[in-house]
Each structure stands twice: as structure tokens, then as C-alpha cells.
Amino acid sequence: MTQPQSKNPPADPPLTTATSAVGDERGLSKKGLSAGSVGLIGAIIIGISCIAPAYTLTAALGPTVSEVGVQVPAIILVGFIPMLLVAFGYRELNRRMPDSGTSFTWATRAFGPWIGWMAGWGLVAATILVLSNLAGIAVDFLFLLISQVAGTPELAELAHNPVINVVTCLVFMLAATWVSYRDMQTTQKLQYWLVGFQILVLVLFSVVALAEVANGNAFDATPIDWSWFNPFAVESFSAFAAGLSLSIFIFWGWDVTLTMNEETRGSEKTPGRAATITVGVIVALYLLISVSLISFAGVGEGEFGLGNPDIQDNVFFALAGPVLGPLAVLVSIAVLTSSASSLQSTFVSPARTLLAMGHYGALPEKFARVSPRFFTPGYATIVSSIAASVFYAVMRFLSENVLWDTITALGMMICFYYGITAFACVWFFRKQWFHSVREFFFTLLFPLVGGVILGVLFFTTLIDSMDPDYGSGSSVFGVGLVFVLGMVVLLAGVGVMIWQRVRRPAFFRGETLSRASAD
Amino acid sequence: MARNTDELRIVVGYTADDSGADALALGARIAAATEGRLEVVLVLPIEARGGVVPPDPGYERLVKERGRGWLAEASASIGDDIAQALHIRYAESFAEGLTAAAHEFGAALIVVGAARGGLLGRVRIGSVANELLHSSDVPVALAPAGSRDVRLGQGITRVTAAVGTRPGAQRLIEASVALARASHAPVRLVSLVPIDLPSGLDAELAHLTSTAHAEEVLDSARAALPAGVQASAQVATGDSVEDAVKALDWHAGELVLVGSSRLASGHRLFLGSTAAKMLRELPVPMIVVPRTRG
């Protein structure tokens, strides 16, 4: 006898869940009763490995230098502000409407199906962009690691062969999909070591770079100056905006520590503490590395200069050897492990959003499939992986500086969907704004200011990127590649949305997920 | 062997796929034959177990809801005639969750689907069943692929205890007798004698010696049977364990019980090499019983 697959199970199946079947008085371990909880250290570790500082910096430092020169430290400090403001809104929404669709669900609730759909699309597009970038960085470092171990520098050059590069990248993607589909997570203990190792290597990298500067062995010794920390020293608003949208990317992922509210063990303060410590560690690392590398290599266009377009999309790749000599292999390992963890945690988010979109009928029902064996969004995971792989392969042949351009486009996408999320928070809680001082700040002021900043960044980047010289300087039909990328992604979203409107009108009529507000 | 002597409690490790359907069907068949009670358990992973993916209460809720739906469908597929309860449990692993559930319910048996891509209905132990075999202190029934197609009314027509060639299978005998009593099925004692000799030795003599040894083991097993229980006994020979298994006749509704390996630690299960070889050839479900009393 087979039951028809139905999305909504029959009401009240004869079921005892753990919570109702047994109480604590039976002395049963708490493990069986809920999905578990994360302690303070666990939350910090998850936060740091989501941000993946080693990967993030090697990918973002070059493009940021190309925009704002030596003022990278200032941009890092300022970039944190909109992220923090939006994260507050994210936390409020997550507390009120925990849902695997996050931005998609929240924006739909606040602004209706069309905007909600595009927010979901923005999130999925951003994570797919970062997946392809992550895999690309991992490929570079894999070949670097092999060449370091084998002692033959020519091997590292293999990473520049587009065919070898794309094939290796696809193998990485396949492995990451496999791991995500089967939900094979590294244990917390192993992750402690990996994160600890990553931080130690980054600190070592910076300290050695500074020591080399002091010893006069630096490539282009640049004296550290207070103006590096002054955001007003950036030449133009365009550069400032571009730098900021990149620094949004470097803090992306941090918000998870702030939203792990239901799961964290201990007092109510645990998530806040975890988020504070995480961001403290991250900001300290970012400042240390950016200051030391600028001081070591300068921002000129020389061989190892951070302004050299040939090394900008992956600066650790170029600088690990000159700074650390034989120890450079540690940097390769750190970036590889950092990318691997990040690849896994990043995979989860487009898959879960696609799943939620399938669940609410905004996409075909296939997307809502949960693997009965591994309890992961199986179909959505595979679709995300294919999209990221195709995207990477196409981009690699289209642009030499694929990594760089994806990072810039990525910053734009994050601004897009985070901005919508921030506004969704403001609008959803509109009846509660003045209930208390706390509500005023967390549901109105903070997310509103954050959303406006992100909105300005989004439009400024969009307009500036039309210039063919923008970013890495790649262009298509005389228009900057970053602009083309952003527009193609967003317009494709509009196209798919209209197609889904025709195929699945129920969602767009608000029948599956209705507009609402908190009251 | 049940804690409550009147009712056999059976934990089914359910997943909403073919393997889970096999386990459910076998569990239901045993429950129907023994008038026992099914505890259908869906084990969900503890999300926070890893150090990489941030836990997400929204997704967790969705999976739990989906799990409820799966269990409701499973329940509908076995009908109302069998006493049953449905449960969702969280655990680090499937095996851990099932063992904990078996303890919680005082279950005498855990049923899981054994097959993951086994060929032609034969059993190849999947990672889940394998993990359970390494950790459970409760007997584990491995439902071969295709168990889901066996009629519920097939019942249990015979209970076979594979007593091996070494003495010391007290718990195995007890479990077999209890199961046979509950299901009103006859007991058969079997000793497998693989004769795998280097050439040059006197095959005839070797055959005689091992067979005689097997008879002794069977005799001691028979002596261990509680008074009043009748059991048939058979020695199966062959060039290998697989051949010996093939040499025996098997009922469609038969269950085979084997003891776990002597190498297993404590009261735990661990499939010995003979049992593993048997599993490859057996056309019927196998139940692995921990060697010592738990």
C-alpha cells in the first residue's frame, strides 16, 4: 500500500516524538530530545569557519587595495558597521520567524511574493558566486601546495591552464557536493584544530612579514601610517563604496553566530558573546594581515606589489613564498582547509533557500525534496552545485580575472539581498517600532540605516561598474564585466520568476505564504 | 527474551527509502507472527554535532515535519492490525539513536534494512547496519533487500539457530527459543562445516572429523534447550561456508539467528567472518545476537 506523497502530512499521525514520549524524569539523555545545542566555543568556531578568514583575505585583499589603496584597514573597520546593523535585523527576523528560507521567506512575508522571490534569488546567486570563487581559490592553492611539496615551482603554473583549472575545480565541486549531500561534517574537535591552525598561520604570516620589513628584507617596505585607518583619506566616494561592498563580503557569514539564539547552550548572553568574540578575532586578524602585507609589499604594481593586477585576485598565493620561504606551505594548507570548511557551510545556504522556495511553491516541488537517508535538501544541493560549476567554467574562459570579478559581483549581490532583508525587518515589525526603546533600535533604526547603506552601495557599484575599466578591467561589449555579471544574474532571476509565475501562480497570489506583520 | 514476557517489543530503524521499507516490512512480519509491538523509530541527526555548518532552527523544524509525514505514511502502509507507535529521536548517529531507543522501550530486537545496493536480493551490509552491528547490545535483524515485497501473512515458518562449531552459544539458543515460542514456529539447529583443505590431506578423513565435531556441538546445543522444546538439527557441509549455506533447505518465512563474533567487546555485537559469509548467501533475514547476556 503506497501513500500519495503529500507535502502536508495527515493531521495528528499516531506519533510520539521524543519530547512527548519521555520526560526528563526518566533520566534519558537530553540528546534524544532535540536537535542539540552549541556552546560558546562551538559557536565561535562555527562563526570563524563560516567567515573563513584565510580564504576571504586572499580573495578580497587585492581587489580592495585596487579600490582604496593603503586605506584597507579603514575600510575593514567601516565595512563592519552596515554588516552589524543588518545582522541585528536578521536576528530579529530569525527570532520571530525561524525558517530555512531566511531572506526569501522574510521578504515575502513583509513585501509579498515578487520582492521575496528576488531576495531568495539574490541569496542563491550570491552563494553560488562565492561557491565558484571558493573552489577557484582552492584549485590555485592545491597546485601551489603540490609544487611546494614537490619542490618544483612550475607545477603551480598549471593552475593557470584553463582546462586543467576547470577540470580540477569541477572535481572539487563534486567532492563538496558529495560531502554536503551526505552531510558528512567534520567533528567539532577537528574543527577546533583547523580553525586554530588557520589563525596561527595567519598570525605567523603577518608577524614574519613585519619582521622582514624591520630587517629591511621587504619587497617594497612601506612605513605604517595612521592615515591607513582613516576612511576619509580614500580618494573618491566611488572607491569608498566599492571598497565597502568588498568589505561586506569579508564579514559575510559572521551573522550566523548572532542568530544561533535558539541553539546555544548556557545563558541568553551566549550568542551575543559568541558573536562579539568572533568579530573581535576576525577584525584583529584582518587588520594585522592587511597592515603587515601592505607594509611588506606596498600597493605598487611591482612583481609582489598589492597593486599588481596579476596577483590581486589571490594575494597569499603570490606572497606566501616571498614572506615565509619554506614555511609557505603552511599558508597553502591553511587556505585549503579554510576553503574546504567554508565550501561546506556555504553549500548549505543556497540549498536550504531553494528548498524553502520549493516548499512554498515558488519553485518546482522537486526542490523541496529532503533526502530520506541524510536529511539534507538533496535536489537543491545538486542544483546549486551544477549552477556553481557551470558558472565557474563559463567565467574562467570568459575572463582571466574570474576570481576578482566574481568577488566584486558577489559584494553587489550581498548588498542586494541583505538590503532587502534589512528593509523586510523594518517593515515586518512596523507595528512594534515604538513599543520599547529596544524595539525602536533593533527593528527600526539599525536595520533601516544598514539597509540604506547597502542600498547606496548596491546602486553605486552597479553604476560605476558599467565602466569597462572597473574592477579587473575585463569587459564585454564595452561594458564592465562586473556590471554585465550583476545584470545578467538579476535579470535572469526576473525571467525565471515570471516563468514560475505562469507555471505556479499560487505562490504569487500569496496563497502559500501570505503577507504579514508582527503585532 | 523480552523484558515484559508477554509482549515482544521490536524497534524498527526507519528511513523513507527502500531500505527502510525492507526493515519495516520485516519488523511488521515478526510483530504480526509474535503478536508483538512495533516501535517505528526515525532517527534524525543532531544538527549541532559538527563544527562547520551552523544549526538552523527553521530547517530543523522542516525536517521534523517531513519526518512526521514519513512516519505517518509508514504507519499507513502496515495497517492497524499491528500494535505500533511512531517515534522521532535525535542522535549523533543512526546506530546510536536506535540502540538508545531499544533500551528506552526494553526492546528485544532492532530491525534495520541491511542492503545498500546489494545484488540480486542478496545482502551487502550498508554502513548503517554495519555501525549498528559494531555497537548494539540488543539483537539486530538485518532485512535483506526485497523484504518489503514479502507478504505480511507469510509469518515465521521456522527459526534456525546457526550454532557454529564452537560451544558457548547460550544466549543465542535462548533468543531462538523465545522467538520460536512467540511465533509458534519450530526450531532448527544448524552447524555449518566448511571443509577447505590444502590438497594432499585426506579429504575423507577431514570430512569425518569435522562432521563428528559438528555433531558434538549440535548435541551440546540440544542439551542446552529448555525442557519440552523440540528442535531438529542439521549439519551442513560444503567446500566453503557459502556452499554449506546453499546445501541447506530454506523456508520463505524462515529467520536465522547467529551469535556475534567472539572478538566483540563486552556485550556488543560484532559479525564474525562465518556470519558475514553466511549473510552473503542467505536467502532469508538474519538476526545477530550478542554473545553474552547484556
Side-chain angles (χ1 to χ4, degrees):
Chain A
M1 176 172 159
T2 49
Q3 282 286 98
Q5 291 281 331
S6 72
K7 206 162 59 187
N8 302 317
D12 301 315
L15 172 84
T16 67
T17 61
T19 358
S20 55
V22 286
D24 279 330
E25 74 275 8
R26 301 230 349 219
L28 198 82
S29 88
K30 257 205 123 100
K31 253 184 203 165
L33 300 176
S34 77
S37 60
V38 186
L40 178 65
I41 306 285
I44 294 170
I45 295 296
I46 289 179
I48 296 181
S49 59
C50 278
I51 301 176
Y55 151 71
T56 306
L57 272 186
T58 192
L61 192 55
T64 314
V65 165
S66 83
E67 298 295 348
V68 299
V70 292
Q71 268 77 40
V72 174
I75 283 293
I76 289 172
L77 288 171
V78 175
F80 173 64
I81 294 169
M83 192 65 187
L84 177 70
L85 295 177
V86 175
F88 283 134
Y90 195 97
R91 182 176 64 172
E92 294 305 310
L93 287 167
N94 195 57
R95 193 175 280 167
R96 181 61 66 98
M97 296 184 279
D99 190 281
S100 59
T102 60
S103 296
F104 159 74
T105 313
W106 300 334
T108 307
R109 296 288 270 176
F111 298 127
W114 298 93
I115 294 179
W117 207 97
M118 284 310 292
W121 180 266
L123 186 155
V124 171
T127 42
I128 281 173
L129 285 173
V130 82
L131 281 176
S132 70
N133 184 276
L134 267 165
I137 295 277
V139 170
D140 278 3
F141 274 95
L142 176 72
F143 283 106
L144 181 62
L145 180 64
I146 294 172
S147 78
Q148 285 163 336
V149 172
T152 42
E154 308 82 60
L155 276 174
E157 294 300 312
L158 284 178
H160 297 304
N161 176 324
V163 177
I164 292 179
N165 188 298
V166 167
V167 169
T168 317
C169 187
L170 294 187
V171 171
F172 271 14
M173 277 303 206
L174 195 66
T177 314
W178 176 254
V179 164
S180 296
Y181 185 84
R182 298 181 63 102
D183 192 22
M184 303 184 329
Q185 294 200 34
T186 45
T187 59
Q188 279 185 359
K189 210 172 182 182
L190 177 60
Q191 202 59 26
Y192 288 1
W193 287 103
L194 290 178
V195 167
F197 172 76
Q198 196 186 146
I199 293 174
L200 278 180
V201 169
L202 291 178
V203 170
L204 176 78
F205 192 29
S206 313
V207 170
V208 172
L210 289 175
E212 295 286 292
V213 173
N215 295 337
N217 297 329
F219 168 75
D220 175 15
T222 313
I224 300 170
D225 193 279
W226 280 115
S227 73
W228 293 8
F229 295 88
N230 178 8
F232 300 105
V234 180
E235 283 169 16
S236 69
F237 182 71
S238 288
F240 184 71
L244 264 191
S245 92
L246 284 163
S247 71
I248 301 290
F249 160 70
I250 70 176
F251 288 110
W252 192 36
W254 168 75
D255 46 331
V256 298
T257 46
L258 201 60
T259 55
M260 283 195 276
N261 44 13
E262 284 194 13
E263 298 75 20
T264 32
R265 267 199 299 269
S267 72
E268 274 183 10
K269 289 180 182 149
T270 306
R273 246 178 231 158
T276 313
I277 298 175
T278 306
V279 85
V281 171
I282 292 292
V283 169
L285 266 181
Y286 284 178
L287 291 179
L288 182 64
I289 291 169
S290 54
V291 167
S292 62
L293 289 189
I294 293 174
S295 164
F296 178 89
V299 291
E301 299 200 355
E303 189 186 0
F304 297 121
L306 292 174
N308 175 1
D310 293 336
I311 71 163
Q312 272 183 335
D313 63 359
N314 196 345
V315 292
F316 291 5
F317 183 81
L319 287 176
V323 173
L324 286 174
L327 288 179
V329 67
L330 292 177
V331 173
S332 305
I333 298 172
V335 175
L336 269 179
T337 55
S338 155
S339 313
S341 316
S342 185
L343 205 53
Q344 196 180 354
S345 56
T346 310
F347 239 118
V348 168
S349 95
R352 286 182 179 176
T353 301
L354 287 171
L355 176 127
M357 292 175 82
H359 182 79
Y360 291 115
L363 281 175
E365 210 181 324
K366 287 187 286 241
F367 284 91
R369 229 176 255 165
V370 173
S371 154
R373 176 92 191 280
F374 306 111
F375 308 103
T376 52
Y379 187 82
T381 303
I382 291 167
V383 170
S384 315
S385 154
I386 292 172
S389 306
V390 169
F391 179 81
Y392 183 82
V394 170
M395 285 299 290
R396 177 53 80 173
F397 286 104
L398 214 62
S399 158
E400 296 247 312
N401 297 307
V402 53
L403 295 176
W404 182 345
D405 289 327
T406 50
I407 286 295
T408 315
L410 177 59
M412 207 156 83
M413 284 299 138
I414 299 175
C415 289
F416 175 76
Y417 89 84
Y418 259 34
I420 294 181
T421 310
F423 291 128
C425 171
V426 173
W427 193 239
F428 181 77
F429 290 105
R430 60 186 176 276
K431 293 177 188 159
Q432 295 190 346
W433 289 346
F434 304 110
H435 282 191
S436 69
V437 177
R438 189 196 169 281
E439 304 276 342
F440 174 76
F441 280 105
F442 287 92
T443 65
L444 173 62
L445 189 64
F446 291 160
L448 184 65
V449 173
V452 168
I453 296 177
L454 292 185
V456 170
L457 288 181
F458 173 75
F459 286 108
T460 314
T461 315
L462 198 63
I463 292 163
D464 289 347
S465 63
M466 289 170 79
D467 183 346
D469 293 330
Y470 187 84
S472 70
S474 307
S475 61
V476 187
F477 309 123
V479 184
L481 183 63
V482 174
F483 176 81
V484 174
L485 253 182
M487 285 322 278
V488 165
V489 168
L490 288 177
L491 291 180
V494 172
V496 177
M497 177 167 66
I498 291 170
W499 176 37
Q500 294 302 313
R501 168 69 182 82
V502 174
R503 297 289 310 279
R504 264 166 279 279
F507 168 75
F508 292 91
R509 289 194 205 114
E511 288 165 18
T512 53
L513 194 60
S514 58
R515 285 178 70 164
S517 71
D519 48 17
Chain B
M1 59 184 175
R3 198 171 62 176
N4 299 330
T5 45
D6 55 334
E7 193 179 49
L8 189 74
R9 285 193 167 206
I10 300 159
V11 164
V12 170
Y14 187 69
T15 47
D17 56 5
D18 286 350
S19 169
D22 288 332
L24 184 67
L26 177 60
R29 184 150 67 91
I30 298 175
T34 59
E35 286 159 23
R37 177 181 163 84
L38 274 190
E39 310 283 356
V40 184
V41 178
L42 182 73
V43 179
L44 296 180
I46 289 180
E47 269 224 341
R49 74 197 185 288
V52 183
V53 176
D56 170 357
Y59 185 70
E60 218 168 75
R61 206 161 299 182
L62 187 135
V63 170
K64 195 170 181 180
E65 182 192 308
R66 197 66 53 95
R68 278 201 188 108
W70 284 332
L71 281 176
E73 284 164 23
S75 170
S77 76
I78 50 177
D80 297 333
D81 298 338
I82 298 167
Q84 58 185 284
L86 310 174
H87 311 272
I88 289 179
R89 288 291 178 278
Y90 288 93
E92 301 273 342
S93 71
F94 192 67
E96 192 194 285
L98 289 183
T99 319
H103 293 165
E104 184 188 325
F105 304 128
L109 187 63
I110 299 174
V111 187
V112 290
R116 296 283 176 202
L119 283 175
L120 303 170
R122 294 290 193 264
V123 177
R124 205 194 73 185
I125 299 191
S127 57
V128 164
N130 195 41
E131 195 194 338
L132 196 58
L133 286 177
H134 280 85
S135 61
S136 174
D137 52 1
V138 176
V140 171
L142 303 168
S147 299
R148 60 187 178 280
D149 299 325
V150 177
R151 280 180 308 111
L152 190 64
Q154 176 75 61
I156 297 174
T157 52
R158 183 162 65 183
V159 174
T160 291
V163 290
T165 52
R166 296 182 192 87
Q170 191 55 36
R171 192 172 175 200
L172 172 67
I173 304 278
E174 279 172 24
S176 308
V177 168
L179 187 59
R181 265 196 188 138
S183 57
H184 313 291
V187 177
R188 171 170 73 156
L189 301 174
V190 158
S191 184
L192 298 176
V193 184
I195 299 164
D196 184 14
L197 292 174
S199 55
L201 281 180
D202 189 338
E204 193 62 22
L205 181 65
H207 183 258
L208 276 175
T209 328
S210 354
T211 318
H213 177 60
E215 296 283 4
E216 270 171 42
V217 174
L218 278 183
D219 284 340
S220 76
R222 207 176 285 143
L225 288 173
V229 174
Q230 290 301 311
S232 60
Q234 252 176 307
V235 175
T237 55
D239 287 343
S240 61
V241 173
E242 288 90 335
D243 282 344
V245 169
K246 275 187 208 159
L248 288 167
D249 70 297
W250 300 100
H251 288 183
E254 186 151 4
L255 293 178
V256 179
L257 283 80
V258 299
S260 63
S261 164
R262 285 167 308 130
L263 297 175
S265 63
H267 309 305
R268 300 293 160 81
L269 291 170
F270 182 70
L271 207 54
S273 63
T274 306
K277 286 176 191 160
M278 284 178 70
L279 193 58
R280 280 207 288 272
E281 280 307 321
L282 272 180
V284 295
M286 178 192 256
I287 297 175
V288 188
V289 183
R291 184 152 287 266
T292 45
R293 182 166 287 285

